[in-house]
Structure formats: structure tokens, C-alpha cells
Amino acid sequence: MRRLDPQRLLAAVNEQRACLGGTAWTGPLSAAALGDGCAAAVAEALDAGKTPCREALRAAAMRLLDLLAARAPGRAVEVRIPPFAAIQCVAGPRHTRGTPPNVVETDAATWVRLATGRLAWAAAAADGLIRASGPRADLTAYLPLSSGPPLSSGPPLPSGPPRPR
């Protein structure tokens, strides 16, 4: 797991919450809680059809990748969310050099939607939102990482109707 700077995360979650008309974060100041707060706020922005704030989107993508790595430990699949982060996960043959045989790549907004259950893997693949290669590159068994936005300890954000998938 990456060591994320809590002050940077706090600034990101507060910026995203402000863009959504919410109040400042009042929850725990741990990197995990703030990362979850960023993921929840970014998911709310996406649901509302808004463009997420860049730093909050980066933090959300990284936090959700860390959760995937914890859920599916291993080094058989490389998951890339350019330009923010990449991890190796899923049990199986370890990759050591060159292009890995099992690669998943998508943009950060799609990753947040997948990881929070707002978008199904099959639908994203059919729409060309995911580039996946290799026999272990289907992450359906590990997603969603949560049934909705990750838990947020901050005050609730204004909510609107969810966007169609």
C-alpha cells in the first residue's frame, strides 16, 4: 500500500466536497478514511454528471487500487489507471520483466465507477472503456469493492438522482 499524505488528501476531499455544495470534511484524518472520503465524493460527482476534481480523482483511484490489491493479493495482473497509478494483483504466475501477459487499463472515472459498483465489468468492456488482455485480466470476481460509495465519515453530500449506467 502506498503512503498517502493526509494533508494532501484532506485538501482533495474538501475541494471535491465544496464543488458538490457540501461542507468541509469532519471525519477521521487517517489516509484510509480520507481516501474513502475522496472516493465517495468523486463517485457523487460522477453520479451528478460533474467532472471530478483532479486531486480527488487521483486519490480515489489510488485508494480503490489499494483496496483491490488487498482483496486480490498477487502479481499476476497489472491494473493501470493512467496517469495516476498502477498495481499488480491477483494470485498466479508472477510477472517480472517487459509487458505483463495480464493487463487491465482504464481511465480513473471508469475505475471509480467499476470499483463502487456503478458500472458492471461486462458493460464497461462492451463499451470499450476497459482494455484487458490475458487469461486473468477479468476482474469481475473482485468487483465491486463496495456496494456503493465507500463509507464517508464527513457530513452527507447533497444527493441527486443516480445517472443511468
Side-chain angles (χ1 to χ4, degrees), residues 19-49:
C19 289
L20 293 167
T23 58
W25 177 262
T26 59
L29 298 178
S30 69
L34 289 163
D36 289 346
C38 283
V42 165
E44 296 250 355
L46 292 169
D47 287 348

Side-chain angles (χ1 to χ4, degrees), residues 71-94:
R71 178 176 279 184
R75 299 182 63 89
V77 178
E78 185 166 294
V79 180
R80 300 172 181 165
I81 312 298
F84 300 124
I87 62 160
Q88 290 185 348
C89 60
V90 181
R94 181 178 173 178

Side-chain angles (χ1 to χ4, degrees), residues 40-59:
V42 165
E44 296 250 355
L46 292 169
D47 287 348
K50 297 181 178 183
T51 300
C53 300
R54 182 173 172 80
E55 279 301 305
L57 183 59
R58 181 189 71 79

